[in-house]
Amino acid sequence: MNAPVFIAGVGAISAIGNNSAECLVALENEQPGMGEMVYLESLHSKTLPVAEVKLDNETLAQRLGLSAVISRTAMLSMMAAKEALENAGIPDLTAFRTGFISANTVGGMDRTEQFFAGFLADNKNGRLRDIVHHECGYITELVADSLGIRNYVSTISTACSSSANSIFYAARLIRNNILDVVIAGGTDALTKFTLNGFNTLMILDQEFCRPFDENRKGLNLGEGAGYVVLVSESVAAMLKSAPACKLSGYCNANDAYHQTASSPDGTGSFLAMKGALERSRLAADDIDYINLHGTGTQNNDIAEGTAIRRLFGPQYPKMSSTKSFTGHTLGASGGLEAVFSALAIREQIIYPNLRLQTPMKELPFIPEKGLIKNSGVKHVLSNSFGFGGNCSSLIFSKI
Amino acid sequence: MDKLIQDLKVQIIAQLNLQDLKPEDIGDDQPLFVEGLGLDSIDALELIVLLQKQYKIKLSNAEDGPKVFRSVRTMAEYIMEHQPQIS
Amino acid sequence: MKLYIRATGNISPQKTFGHPAFLTQPVEHFGNRLNAVEPDYKSFIDVKQIRRMSRIIKMGVAAAMECLQEAGVEIPGAIVTGTAYGCLEDTGIFLTKIVEQHEELLAPTAFIQSTHNTVGAQIALLLHCNGYNNVFVHRGFSFESAMLDAMLLLKEGETDNVLVGGLDEITGISHAILTRFGLYKREPVANFDLFTRSSKGTIAGEGAAFFLLASQSSLNDYAQLDGLTSFYKPADIKETENHILSFLSIQSILPAEIDLVITGRNGNVKDDRVYDSLEQSVFKHIDSVNYKQLCGEYPTSVSFALWLAANILKSGTVPAILGYSGNKGNEIKKILIYHQAQNIHHSLLLISAC
């Protein structure tokens, strides 16, 4: 049950790059991906900055060799999952029990929105091909089928912690000897549904977001996908290049405080981080870097910060929120940040937390403002907390 | 002002789907949140929409909520202040 | 390692809530939409909480509470739910408002309650349960994935009990759209005539069924949960047969040792061909009954089938409405649930009498 689970490959697409290498360059050069809305059509296009992937749907379909545009959520997922699988370089995938476990929050909602206006006017209207991929699970199957994966497919949706949970579940399927290889992570495209939804909660910043800043005003929504290829020890031994890190800890807890807000003392976040540490058999001071959930909302950052103070004080690891680059990519964020965590270990760097001017007065620590090279980072804790109190933490460790 | 208070009670019940309440069950000065009517932060966001929809008043800072939404009377006062033609 | 089904809670198109006599008063439905028989939720859920809850949230929360009550468990070690469609009613409301109000003056409640984890989160919130909480949203595998997660948690020793449920709702919008996809029968049909005619389409259903799975026997359990597997898009019927046989061999039983198969037949001639074929091969000489005439077709209906199987084992009776023609009656000790949806999602669940 405690067999190691290795990260054999990574793949990412986000507002800061169309693959993991491009994302890494942007992270090193402090280039955030937010800007004025270009691809999503919305009444709020001039007022709410978003972090869009810099490719339109036609280009995405073309790069993927698809004959027609499908849900952007699925196309982003295919881009990142394909990269992850290629990156892993597993010689013969058919020799193993391989699974694809993805996550998203609103499935093919981008297309459902196109269907819906016509449908509302007359329920015989609206093209069925626009709604056929509405279900979260359908998005996963489009990608699994394109990768030729059939042994196990599933989809998790726990709001903003969705893809941390898919990685977590994937690792357990390997440890329980049900699968040998799993591509796990998540995807979400920007949609009017989520943009307007978060807008009703009044937690969207009209400027670029400022996670963990005293004057933070909210989050920016982003889109993208991130996947890691998890493999068992025996598969890892067959790889040409040895994996640089493993997934050593994970935990899922529920805040059970409020439908959308986090508890003031960050109960759920605290339990998730503490549980992940216990699972990895590491002590708090073994953690070198925390990739924060760090959305930039008043509520999240104080709850997460308080939980970190309770668990780590008085010695704090280095920290940053890469959402200051990618925006909050919801169902993709845990997957993307897992990729960034693995890259931080491989490249021995720690990412900056952009636009941090005034540290939060309640907290005794300050996230990193600039890039740190030769960081000596061995263990990275990645946090993903969501609505409904769903909190998950993952720990990645250098081999 | 009395009519505005009455209207508000009806509108609050509808907006928040307070199925078991009648307008006369809500006191003019009864606190709406926590110990009073038991409303929460999601209701506060709903009330912001109510103000905007019914009275064209935009409460841009959610943090003003607790003050404005303390009771039906404070809501009415806020409306009068910002839309004096409604009374 | 043995796992047990200690308690159940079920809201369905039949009278199942409140643990009444086991399907002795079957509910007949006419038309192609079977709505759940819902209780007065105010007796189970605080009025203040109810006002924001859509039907699926109320169904899920009430079924979960009933299950925990029966188990005598206040706070479960973990909560895992499976739902393919999630909270459709709130999704529909928010989408409609976006269109009608041109993205202006939108209220937050429908959006907040529309996320797929709403029901699991609401249960955790009402119970103040800080434990593991996960939600699977994978079409015809949603409930099966939730069950596998729960079973693994017990095997891993993370906890000794898990609340697991499968749930989906029908809304006016979803029914209209799925009708356009040709899923449902065009001609008027009574649910109990579902298998007496051979025509295209099935009948829509919904429900929420929860189970308390435990790693230790309470001496008053419904059944023992032996195993579960699922497989995706088998190439042909041969592959399906092989999956079934290999599952049985892993469970160390022969087909002849199965007393009853509960199948996912839905009355659509095309969907039912797979079952027809298997009844000539691996399931030959095994008694079988169907269940979708009771609850209708929905992606997490296997949760209803599990409730049915668990109750057959506990009560030692097969309700008359199932038209069971075998002669094992109270001798039924091992039940296999076999379900497939559109020949894409196949699953097997084996349970036995305690």
Side-chain angles (χ1 to χ4, degrees):
Chain A
M1 240 348 278
N2 289 314
V5 175
F6 297 89
I7 312 289
V10 297
I13 183 166
S14 74
I16 57 170
N18 298 330
N19 54 49
S20 58
E22 286 179 22
C23 290
L24 185 61
V25 170
L27 288 165
E28 287 173 337
N29 295 333
E30 305 196 7
Q31 293 164 326
M34 296 85 171
E36 195 175 291
M37 234 173 271
V38 175
Y39 304 111
L40 181 69
E41 285 174 25
S42 166
L43 177 77
H44 310 294
S45 64
K46 301 284 182 231
T47 48
L48 296 173
V50 290
E52 292 179 304
V53 167
K54 308 292 184 275
L55 295 170
D56 64 23
N57 286 335
E58 287 68 27
T59 311
L60 278 168
Q62 203 182 4
R63 289 206 183 176
L64 289 161
L66 300 172
S67 56
V69 166
I70 56 171
S71 166
R72 189 170 172 87
T73 314
M75 294 197 290
L76 296 176
S77 175
M78 274 181 205
M79 292 283 286
K82 280 197 165 135
E83 187 202 349
L85 202 50
E86 280 161 22
N87 183 243
I90 296 167
D92 179 14
L93 206 59
T94 58
F96 304 107
R97 296 167 297 174
T98 305
F100 182 58
I101 299 174
S102 191
N104 63 70
T105 61
V106 289
M109 185 64 84
D110 57 323
R111 303 287 295 222
T112 301
E113 286 168 356
Q114 294 179 20
F115 169 87
F116 216 74
F119 175 81
L120 265 189
D122 176 348
N123 70 14
K124 292 185 190 65
N125 284 348
R127 296 177 306 182
L128 289 177
R129 66 170 179 271
D130 284 333
I131 194 145
V132 66
H133 301 144
H134 173 80
E135 286 172 75
C136 298
Y138 218 130
I139 297 297
T140 304
E141 288 181 11
L142 288 169
V143 184
D145 291 353
S146 80
L147 299 173
I149 292 172
R150 214 152 60 86
N151 294 131
Y152 193 84
V153 290
S154 197
T155 312
I156 288 173
S157 195
T158 52
C160 311
S161 63
S162 302
S163 50
N165 283 330
S166 67
I167 292 169
F168 178 172
Y169 183 59
R172 288 170 53 224
L173 290 178
I174 291 176
R175 283 190 161 174
N176 280 283
N177 193 26
I178 293 171
L179 295 173
D180 308 302
V181 178
V182 190
I183 296 129
T187 178
D188 255 325
L190 276 164
T191 66
K192 271 193 216 182
F193 189 89
T194 36
L195 183 80
N196 281 287
F198 277 83
N199 199 29
T200 64
L201 300 175
M202 300 179 81
I203 52 172
L204 292 179
D205 195 338
Q206 301 196 351
E207 308 289 326
F208 289 8
C209 65
R210 284 177 285 171
F212 278 79
D213 190 287
E214 177 66 19
N215 301 309
R216 65 196 182 281
K217 289 258 172 6
L219 59 88
N220 301 138
L221 283 174
E223 63 180 355
Y227 292 92
V228 292
V229 180
L230 300 171
V231 300
S232 66
E233 197 162 18
S234 60
V235 176
M238 295 179 202
L239 298 174
K240 269 189 209 138
S241 48
C245 75
K246 59 183 180 181
L247 181 66
S248 56
Y250 40 72
C251 183
N252 161 320
N254 195 287
D255 201 36
Y257 172 76
H258 185 272
Q259 188 66 19
T260 57
S262 304
S263 59
D265 59 353
T267 303
S269 328
F270 178 83
L271 292 172
M273 290 189 283
K274 185 166 164 277
L277 279 176
E278 284 164 6
R279 165 78 52 188
S280 64
R281 297 188 186 144
L282 293 171
D285 60 8
D286 288 325
I287 299 295
D288 304 296
Y289 168 54
I290 303 177
N291 187 297
L292 298 161
H293 185 54
T295 58
T297 64
Q298 280 295 329
N299 183 243
N300 174 77
D301 294 1
I302 188 63
E304 184 176 10
T306 303
I308 289 171
R309 179 168 54 74
R310 286 171 60 201
L311 190 59
F312 288 90
Q315 288 292 320
Y316 297 96
K318 303 216 171 356
M319 308 172 213
S320 65
S321 166
T322 46
K323 289 188 180 72
S324 60
F325 288 84
T326 61
H328 190 355
T329 57
L330 308 177
S333 63
L336 261 183
E337 288 162 31
V339 171
F340 296 163
S341 299
L343 292 176
I345 290 173
R346 193 187 78 191
E347 302 294 321
Q348 289 293 295
I349 56 174
I350 285 169
Y351 312 114
N353 190 104
L354 299 181
R355 298 177 296 282
L356 175 55
Q357 288 174 343
T358 315
M360 288 166 66
K361 63 174 188 306
E362 303 94 332
L363 299 178
F365 56 81
I366 305 170
E368 296 311 307
K369 293 184 189 181
L371 180 79
I372 301 175
K373 289 184 181 170
N374 304 317
S375 62
V377 56
K378 285 193 194 73
H379 303 285
V380 178
L381 172 73
S382 177
N383 284 339
S384 296
F385 307 142
F387 283 177
N390 285 103
C391 297
S392 290
S393 294
L394 304 175
I395 295 175
F396 299 88
S397 297
K398 187 171 185 287
I399 295 168
Chain B
M1 179 87 169
D2 283 352
K3 174 161 187 319
L4 177 59
I5 286 181
Q6 279 314 303
D7 289 350
L8 269 174
K9 288 180 184 174
V10 174
Q11 289 157 356
I12 290 170
I13 288 172
Q15 183 84 22
L16 306 183
N17 195 21
L18 300 167
Q19 294 154 342
D20 287 1
L21 282 188
K22 291 190 274 306
E24 53 270 31
D25 296 335
I26 307 175
D28 297 358
D29 296 297
Q30 183 187 3
L32 293 175
F33 287 81
V34 201
E35 79 280 18
L37 215 49
L39 303 186
D40 64 14
S41 61
I42 298 173
D43 295 307
L45 294 167
E46 289 280 346
L47 292 177
I48 290 173
V49 176
L50 188 155
L51 278 188
Q52 220 174 327
K53 241 185 189 162
Q54 306 283 348
Y55 302 98
K56 311 278 177 282
I57 296 171
K58 204 166 175 181
L59 195 79
S60 50
N61 193 348
E63 279 150 40
D64 293 342
K67 213 169 60 210
V68 179
F69 302 131
R70 209 177 58 77
S71 67
V72 180
R73 191 186 301 279
T74 59
M75 272 183 83
E77 283 166 0
Y78 187 80
I79 293 166
M80 302 262 289
E81 209 176 294
H82 291 79
Q83 290 279 32
Q85 68 274 25
I86 298 169
S87 60
Chain C
M1 179 179 185
K2 289 184 177 176
L3 303 178
Y4 302 89
I5 300 174
R6 183 173 296 174
T8 68
N10 187 11
I11 292 180
S12 74
Q14 296 299 321
K15 288 178 190 158
T16 51
F17 189 70
H19 299 299
F22 181 36
L23 294 176
T24 50
Q25 294 175 290
V27 181
E28 191 161 23
H29 296 258
F30 297 94
N32 62 13
R33 177 170 170 177
L34 274 59
N35 288 317
V37 178
E38 294 180 84
D40 178 9
Y41 294 109
K42 282 174 192 157
S43 341
F44 309 94
I45 313 170
D46 181 28
V47 182
K48 266 185 193 151
Q49 315 279 355
I50 278 185
R51 67 194 168 97
R52 288 192 192 127
M53 292 184 178
S54 65
R55 247 160 37 82
I56 191 172
I57 304 174
K58 286 186 278 199
M59 287 197 285
V61 168
M65 295 304 164
E66 185 186 46
C67 179
L68 291 173
Q69 218 166 48
E70 188 187 34
V73 168
E74 230 168 285
I75 300 178
I79 300 168
V80 189
T81 55
T83 173
Y85 297 136
C87 299
L88 285 176
E89 191 174 311
D90 284 312
T91 304
I93 290 171
F94 198 65
L95 267 173
T96 304
K97 294 264 161 86
I98 289 176
V99 174
E100 288 178 351
Q101 296 173 201
H102 308 285
E103 298 185 63
E104 285 184 289
L105 297 173
L106 298 170
T109 301
F111 172 71
I112 292 169
Q113 307 286 75
S114 75
T115 57
H116 289 75
N117 62 334
T118 303
V119 177
Q122 284 284 348
I123 297 168
L125 190 58
L126 292 169
L127 299 173
H128 302 292
C129 175
N130 291 119
Y132 182 96
N133 192 302
N134 209 357
V135 184
F136 290 86
V137 295
H138 197 97
R139 308 186 68 201
F141 285 158
S142 306
F143 177 65
E144 287 81 349
S145 292
M147 283 289 289
L148 180 60
D149 189 4
M151 290 164 74
L152 293 179
L153 288 172
L154 295 171
K155 287 184 177 166
E156 290 161 355
E158 289 296 304
T159 172
D160 55 14
N161 69 65
V162 181
L163 179 69
V164 55
L167 62 162
D168 272 302
E169 66 176 333
I170 317 172
T171 66
I173 291 172
S174 74
H175 191 261
I177 293 171
L178 294 172
T179 297
R180 282 176 60 189
F181 277 109
L183 253 66
Y184 307 128
K185 292 205 182 293
R186 303 275 173 182
E187 73 276 10
V189 58
N191 56 326
F192 295 126
D193 293 335
L194 187 62
F195 304 110
T196 59
R197 54 183 73 209
S198 56
S199 61
K200 276 194 216 161
T202 182
I203 49 178
E206 62 178 8
F210 278 80
F211 305 88
L212 192 89
L213 305 187
S215 50
Q216 254 133 53
S217 165
S218 70
L219 305 177
N220 192 28
D221 301 307
Y222 277 77
Q224 192 177 310
L225 182 58
D226 299 328
L228 160 107
T229 194
S230 61
F231 49 100
Y232 176 69
K233 290 191 179 172
D236 49 32
I237 192 76
K238 195 77 215 148
E239 189 183 328
T240 299
E241 289 169 10
N242 289 341
H243 275 295
I244 295 171
L245 292 173
S246 113
F247 174 71
L248 295 180
S249 115
I250 289 167
Q251 298 300 325
S252 314
I253 61 162
L254 299 165
E257 291 174 71
I258 297 166
D259 299 315
L260 184 68
V261 175
I262 297 181
T263 84
R265 280 179 182 273
N266 68 9
N268 179 352
V269 281
K270 200 171 153 233
D271 289 338
D272 289 349
R273 265 177 217 146
V274 177
Y275 302 105
D276 295 340
S277 186
L278 293 171
E279 277 166 17
Q280 297 308 314
S281 59
V282 286
F283 295 150
K284 205 168 183 175
H285 307 306
I286 307 175
D287 293 329
S288 72
V289 294
N290 310 317
Y291 69 92
K292 284 184 186 163
Q293 71 279 26
L294 297 167
C295 67
E297 175 71 286
Y298 57 102
T300 47
S301 75
V302 170
S303 61
F304 183 93
L306 182 60
W307 172 87
L308 186 65
N311 276 280
I312 289 173
L313 292 177
K314 188 174 191 185
S315 67
T317 57
V318 184
I321 190 68
L322 292 177
Y324 170 70
S325 56
N327 50 14
K328 285 195 173 158
N330 58 8
E331 294 299 307
I332 293 179
K333 300 291 179 209
K334 241 180 209 330
I335 300 181
L336 178 72
I337 298 167
Y338 166 65
H339 185 266
Q340 63 87 18
Q342 294 160 353
N343 212 0
I344 296 172
H345 310 100
H346 295 247
S347 56
L348 293 156
L349 251 165
L350 185 70
I351 71 170
S352 46
C354 288

